[in-house]
Amino acid sequence: MNAIEKLIAQPAAPSNEGVYQAILESVLEAFSFSTGTIHILNSETQLLELVAHQGIPEFLLDKVNTIPIGKGIAGVAAERREAVQMCNLQTDTSGVARPDAKKTNVAGNIAVPMLKGDALKGALGIGLRESHDFTNEEIAQLNQVAGWLAQAL
């Protein structure tokens, strides 16, 4: 059983930011990635709100603290309700990533929506410093983790 399978085999019960942070750290360790975020959807404001992060420069936290649906990588993943990835954020010209995203020095990155059935609950984003094309297996594993997290919300 790999680290992701062990994680999602546990009951999903995040109840505070410390738990979200521990989950994010476990996911990053399992994938050997350096940066990540967990955003939860505020149903009143319809904004994604940051509840856990690792590897995000301090000066960017204000910019990623709340994300509108449809804006940035996490917001687009939430809007489309599917994974959004970039092999190299530093050279990407798709317009999906916000300009400040390049300041993270992340290259390969992906955001997946946290879905409970059809209901959007948030977004999970991870990245690494090198270019990376995510495999179907990696995407499936991240979708499993995101779904697992959504079940607790």
Side-chain angles (χ1 to χ4, degrees):
M1 183 179 284
N2 67 32
I4 294 298
E5 290 168 339
K6 287 179 186 174
L7 178 67
I8 62 176
Q10 302 172 32
S15 58
N16 62 48
E17 291 183 20
V19 174
Y20 288 116
Q21 189 64 39
I23 291 167
L24 179 61
E25 290 170 8
S26 293
V27 171
L28 294 176
E29 183 179 331
F31 282 91
S32 299
F33 290 171
S34 56
T35 65
T37 58
I38 296 176
H39 286 85
I40 302 300
L41 180 66
N42 180 320
S43 58
E44 292 179 19
T45 65
Q46 290 299 294
L47 293 172
L48 295 169
E49 297 179 349
L50 187 67
V51 295
H53 64 87
Q54 183 168 313
I56 306 297
E58 197 70 33
F59 67 91
L60 288 178
L61 287 177
D62 282 345
K63 297 194 185 270
V64 300
N65 197 39
T66 57
I67 298 176
I69 302 297
K71 300 291 183 186
I73 301 163
V76 171
E79 179 181 56
R80 294 179 184 170
R81 288 176 165 63
E82 65 182 31
V84 173
Q85 69 169 309
M86 293 177 189
C87 174
N88 189 340
L89 172 62
Q90 299 303 314
T91 60
D92 182 72
T93 58
S94 69
V96 171
R98 291 177 154 175
D100 283 335
K102 292 184 178 184
K103 294 179 183 175
T104 62
N105 293 320
V106 166
N109 67 80
I110 188 169
V112 294
M114 293 166 43
L115 300 172
K116 186 175 187 177
D118 291 333
L120 178 67
K121 297 296 183 177
L124 168 66
I126 62 172
L128 67 162
R129 305 276 182 227
E130 302 82 29
S131 297
H132 185 77
D133 282 316
F134 290 84
T135 66
N136 289 338
E137 181 180 346
E138 289 171 323
I139 295 168
Q141 287 179 328
L142 287 169
N143 280 326
Q144 282 184 305
V145 172
W148 175 80
L149 281 167
Q151 296 311 306
L153 300 174

